[in-house]
Structures are given as structure tokens and as C-alpha cells.
Amino acid sequence: MNILGIESSCDETAVAIYSETQGLLAHQLYSQIDIHAPYGGVVPELASRDHIRKCMPLVVAALKEAKLNRHELTGIAYTRGPGLIGALLVGACLGRTLAWAWGLPALGIHHLEAHLLVAFLEPVAPQFPFIALLVSGGHTLLIHVKGFGNYEILGETLDDAVGEAFDKTAKLLGLTYPGGPALAKLAEHGKMDRFPFPRPMLHHPGFDFSFSGLKTYALNCLQKHQDPHDLSLNQDIAAGFQQAVIDTLWQKSLQALRSLGLNRLVVVGGVSANQRLRTHFSQELQKLGGEIFFPRPQFSTDNAAMVAYIGYLRLKSGQQDSALAITVDPRWSFQELTAF
Ligand code: KG4
Ligand code: ZN
């Protein structure tokens, strides 16, 4: 099977091809960062228009990279949700239309399941069951993963997602979009213990998170310590904020592992590209003799390899879109996913 995957849920246009026998054959990605940067965040209408410009050229480029012609494809997968409705519609229209024109089955993929299972594209894949921490721009979830499609959500954020908290705090610090990587870079030279950022929700039972208070704490630090001679203020706030996020995510993940008697942790989603998070989690879990899995950093953030791969798994299990209508689901709940 050779599955073409299309991802267009937010501000990356991506197309990839996954082969059952040879693994990932092509991986094309175009980031819209330059388009949205002047606005300080993603502008949905501009995102949709640019997906329209880039989607089909990337399909052509992916086929070329894979050295395949379209007759060698066996199915098409596209992201059906969650995400920005206009952006999703571009990938869905193209995916469904190509599938119809080329006589192939198509399947709409859940963006978060794609983030979650991208860990299986790495040479050393986790074994079930495991705990997954999914940290992206729109979601923060702790999941008990029992098998393909067999997921139990243990906890989620009650307000901002982690990536969103990074982006908003970065904006307060005057950094450009996308804020997460920019804040991480600024934090490299900061003192993480200058400001005692709280570790929210750690003493609450359960596995839910809350990150909006950290952004407010950062704002208070900025306002209280305004001093033109304090050249390290912003980097110390960045370092304190980042460490508070990492500590909180780690402690909640550890509680989840302990409560289920597991020692395997998979960390996915855009924020899992954060190098300090990777180092902290790896060191802590190593001390406990556990196993940690991260996708390669370019597969932490949005990509189409993850869409093509889930497309392969689910199409192989016999699932495919049936009705001719092209539908997307901007708020598709993770809980609706079924085992396969
Ligand atoms: O998974 P993703 O690419 O898109 C969504 O599905 O949301 O995640 C994007 C989020 C953004 O909030 C971005 O700032 C954050 O991931 N991010 C990072 C880093 N790289 C991306 N946050 C912290 N450190 C990073 N290195
Ligand atoms: Zn994503």
C-alpha cells in the first residue's frame, strides 16, 4: 500500500507518502510563518488561501520525491479535524477530489491521533500500553494508550493549551510568532529560579492542567520589574516560565505513570520539540528506569507523515470515507475515535 497524506489544519501545508513495505517515501512541508508573522498569530483566511496555493504543488513534489506515479498510490488520507475550518476544507477538498478522480479510497484523519501515533514512525517504537503526553498549540492531553485507536483521556487543560501559553507569553515578551521556539531560545540564557513561577494544579487530584495563570504571572513580573538597566529581565522570565511548564508537565506525567503502574511515556505535539523539555523528561525517566519516546523534532510539529501513516493503518483495517459529501470537523473530539 502507498498512502498519500495531506495536512492543512493550521499554518503548515504538508504532503507525504507512506509505503507499507518501505516506510516514509516522501515528506514535503511548507510553513506559512512568514505570512502570519506580521500579524503576531495565524490569520485563518490567509492560511486557507495559502493552502490552496501550495497543496497541489506539494502533491506533485511528493510523488516526484517518492519516485511514484499516481497509479502506484493505493489511498489518500487527509486531516478532517480538529483545526481551522477553512484550512481543513482545502486539504479535505483536494484529498477527496483526487481520490474520486483517481479511483482511490479516501479517509479523514484525526489530527491528534496523527500526532500521537507518529512515534511509531521512529526506528524504536513504543510498545502498548503507554502514557502519552500530547502538547500542541491547541491541546494538552494525558492519555492512557492501550492499543491502536484504544485511548482513555486521563487529563486535559482547563484553559490554555501549553503551546498557546508559550505563544501568549512570548508575545508579552515582545517575541515574534511562532512564540514557542522564540521563547525557548530566549530562555537559554536566563536564570530559571529568579522568579518563583507557580506549578499549577500539582496538588489537585486528577491529571488536568491549567496554564493561563503562568502567563499572568509572567505579565506581573514584567510590570513589577520594569527597569531599563535590567537587561536580563525578559530572559529570566522566559527561563522561569519554561521551567514551570516543564516541571508541571513532568510531575503530572509521573503521577499518571505511577497511578497506572506503567513506565513507558510518549511525548508528542509541537511543544515536544522543546529541547529543554526533552532533556528534563529523559533524565527524570532514566532515573526511574522507565522508557521515553519522542518523535524526531520535525515530526513533533505539524507534518503529513503522521497523516499518511494513520491513513495507512486505518485504510488497511478497512475504514474509508463513504458518502460523497466532503466534510471536516473543526472540533472533532478525540473521544469519538474507535479501535481498529
Ligand atoms: O503541534 P503543533 O505544530 O500544531 C498544533 O497542532 O497546534 O504545535 C504548535 C505549537 C505552537 O504553540 C508552538 O509555539 C509550539 O508548538 N512549539 C514550541 C516549540 N516548537 C513549537 N513550544 C516550545 N518550544 C518549542 N521548541
Ligand atoms: Zn498539530
Side-chain angles (χ1 to χ4, degrees):
M1 290 177 81
N2 293 321
I3 307 301
L4 181 86
I6 302 173
E7 158 63 33
S8 70
S9 65
C10 190
D11 57 346
E12 323 271 1
T13 321
V15 175
I17 298 175
Y18 183 82
S19 147
E20 178 169 33
T21 50
Q22 297 167 79
L24 195 62
L25 295 181
H27 176 232
Q28 297 283 326
L29 184 127
Y30 171 80
S31 170
Q32 301 179 349
I33 285 179
D34 293 345
I35 292 171
H36 302 295
Y39 302 93
V42 179
V43 183
E45 181 59 24
L46 295 183
S48 313
R49 291 181 197 191
D50 204 56
H51 285 310
I52 292 173
R53 276 192 283 272
K54 294 292 177 335
C55 244
M56 192 59 204
L58 289 186
V59 170
V60 174
L63 284 166
K64 192 169 172 207
E65 183 189 350
K67 298 188 178 66
L68 293 180
N69 67 53
R70 67 173 179 80
H71 301 288
E72 292 168 285
L73 292 176
T74 32
I76 298 187
Y78 59 91
T79 304
R80 189 162 85 82
L84 301 170
I85 186 163
L88 288 167
L89 273 168
V90 177
C93 283
L94 183 65
R96 292 297 306 272
T97 306
L98 290 179
W100 187 79
W102 295 348
L104 297 172
L107 185 65
I109 301 300
H110 196 292
H111 183 75
L112 299 185
E113 183 177 48
H115 269 305
L116 173 64
L117 297 187
V118 78
F120 287 83
L121 282 179
E122 299 306 330
V124 182
Q127 286 185 338
F128 298 115
F130 55 84
I131 298 291
L133 174 67
L134 196 161
V135 275
S136 72
H139 297 85
T140 304
L141 296 172
L142 259 175
I143 310 162
H144 180 193
V145 182
K146 301 166 195 174
F148 287 121
N150 190 350
Y151 315 124
E152 180 193 353
I153 294 187
L154 303 172
E156 58 193 317
T157 183
L158 303 178
D159 41 55
D160 290 352
V162 190
E164 189 182 356
F166 262 95
D167 294 341
K168 287 177 174 172
T169 305
K171 214 168 183 174
L172 291 176
L173 295 173
L175 300 171
T176 53
Y177 156 87
L183 189 148
K185 192 155 178 28
L186 182 66
E188 276 171 19
H189 305 289
K191 288 193 269 320
M192 62 181 153
D193 47 7
R194 174 168 165 197
F195 298 109
F197 274 79
R199 272 44 178 169
M201 302 287 285
L202 277 194
H203 303 294
H204 284 243
F207 304 106
D208 286 336
F209 302 95
S210 164
F211 292 105
S212 65
L214 290 180
K215 169 195 66 196
T216 312
Y217 189 92
L219 178 63
N220 287 339
C221 292
L222 259 180
Q223 287 172 342
K224 271 196 213 148
H225 297 84
Q226 277 305 342
D227 172 359
H229 303 293
D230 187 351
L231 298 179
S232 64
L233 177 65
N234 283 18
Q235 62 197 42
D236 293 343
I237 293 174
F241 167 85
Q242 176 174 255
Q243 196 55 35
V245 169
I246 293 171
D247 270 350
T248 307
L249 291 172
W250 164 249
Q251 290 298 336
K252 281 282 177 191
S253 303
L254 181 60
Q255 287 170 13
L257 287 167
R258 288 197 168 133
S259 95
L260 285 151
L262 294 173
N263 71 352
R264 270 189 294 274
L265 182 66
V266 175
V267 190
V268 292
V271 180
S272 73
N274 184 285
Q275 199 48 54
R276 182 147 189 98
L277 179 148
R278 286 181 176 234
T279 307
H280 185 92
F281 273 59
S282 303
Q283 285 172 346
E284 293 299 319
L285 206 55
Q286 201 175 13
K287 283 186 212 156
L288 302 171
E291 289 179 278
I292 185 115
F293 299 85
F294 291 102
R296 68 198 83 166
Q298 72 264 41
F299 288 173
S300 286
T301 46
D302 288 348
N303 65 87
M306 62 187 193
V307 178
Y309 179 63
I310 299 289
Y312 156 68
L313 293 176
R314 285 194 176 268
L315 282 163
K316 192 178 177 185
S317 79
Q319 297 181 6
Q320 71 176 80
D321 290 343
S322 48
L324 269 183
I326 298 170
T327 54
V328 294
D329 193 343
R331 296 187 170 274
W332 193 1
S333 157
F334 194 72
Q335 259 117 337
E336 285 173 34
L337 287 170
T338 49
F340 57 94

